Amino acid sequence: MTSSPTPGLTRFNAAEDRAARAALREVCASAAWGDEILARRPYPDTASLLAAGDTATAHLTAADLAEAMAGHPPIGRPEPGDPASAREQRGMTDAPDALRAEMLELGLAYQEKFGHVFLICATGLTGEQMRDAVRHRIDNAPEHEREIVRGELGKINRIRLARLAAAPDGEGAPP
């Protein structure tokens, strides 16, 4: 049994391409990802939208993945004025200064090795858990790490798409 679309999903399905694309860029910075989601509209329910998001994430090329990662600020330094970034990185908000400094150092080392920010689905994680994850992942081979990043990006995209679809009237979804 398929449920009916939520108000946010209804607005997303009905939005003009430009507005829908802008909403999708808030979910994932990859243009290819957004184009694939747009091409499959309308979505009958949130589950269908999330499945399309998963498929689009799986289809990202290395360049598309790089574009998507470029839209994410480093852990511990959420984008000013971006409530999603601040909400997702809440685990670092009250972290002790020593942990924040260690995350900065580890993040820079990770970025130097892999050429992009350390990406993790930080929702619900503590600062210590994020630190432990970067410590563990920094020794990965680049190919292995790219697939871990794809998985983490997929988790982030799912959370953000679900939030877009669940947005009550007038919030979070395109006009």
Side-chain angles (χ1 to χ4, degrees):
M1 180 173 167
T2 302
S3 61
S4 60
T6 59
L9 183 58
T10 299
R11 278 192 313 283
F12 174 73
N13 282 335
E16 298 210 7
D17 283 355
R18 190 180 88 247
R21 183 172 280 110
L24 290 173
R25 293 287 282 187
E26 295 296 317
V27 173
C28 180
S30 165
W33 184 88
D35 289 346
E36 189 166 338
I37 302 297
L38 282 176
R40 295 179 178 195
R41 283 191 308 166
Y43 293 95
D45 53 35
T46 300
S48 299
L49 176 63
L50 295 177
D54 292 344
T55 300
T57 301
H59 291 162
L60 293 176
T61 66
D64 297 332
L65 199 54
E67 181 182 29
M69 288 184 295
H72 289 270
I75 295 292
R77 292 181 281 156
E79 200 64 41
D82 179 359
S85 177
R87 181 177 49 250
E88 292 164 356
Q89 294 192 29
R90 189 172 294 134
M92 287 301 294
T93 302
D94 296 323
D97 289 342
L99 178 58
R100 293 172 68 81
E102 184 178 9
M103 275 302 292
L104 176 60
E105 182 180 318
L106 287 166
L108 290 172
Y110 178 97
Q111 192 165 352
E112 185 174 313
K113 178 176 181 178
F114 294 109
H116 56 79
V117 298
F118 173 70
L119 188 69
I120 189 168
C121 182
T123 300
L125 297 181
T126 65
E128 289 83 3
Q129 289 170 315
M130 289 181 253
R131 179 207 52 215
D132 293 348
V134 72
R135 280 180 178 169
H136 175 74
R137 288 173 44 192
I138 201 162
D139 292 328
N140 286 339
E143 302 77 27
H144 180 64
E145 184 60 17
R146 184 171 32 257
E147 290 314 307
I148 291 173
V149 166
R150 183 185 304 276
E152 294 298 315
L153 178 67
K155 292 175 198 176
I156 294 165
N157 291 351
R158 283 183 71 84
I159 291 168
R160 291 178 176 185
L161 277 175
R163 186 174 299 280
L164 183 142
D169 286 336
E171 291 181 30

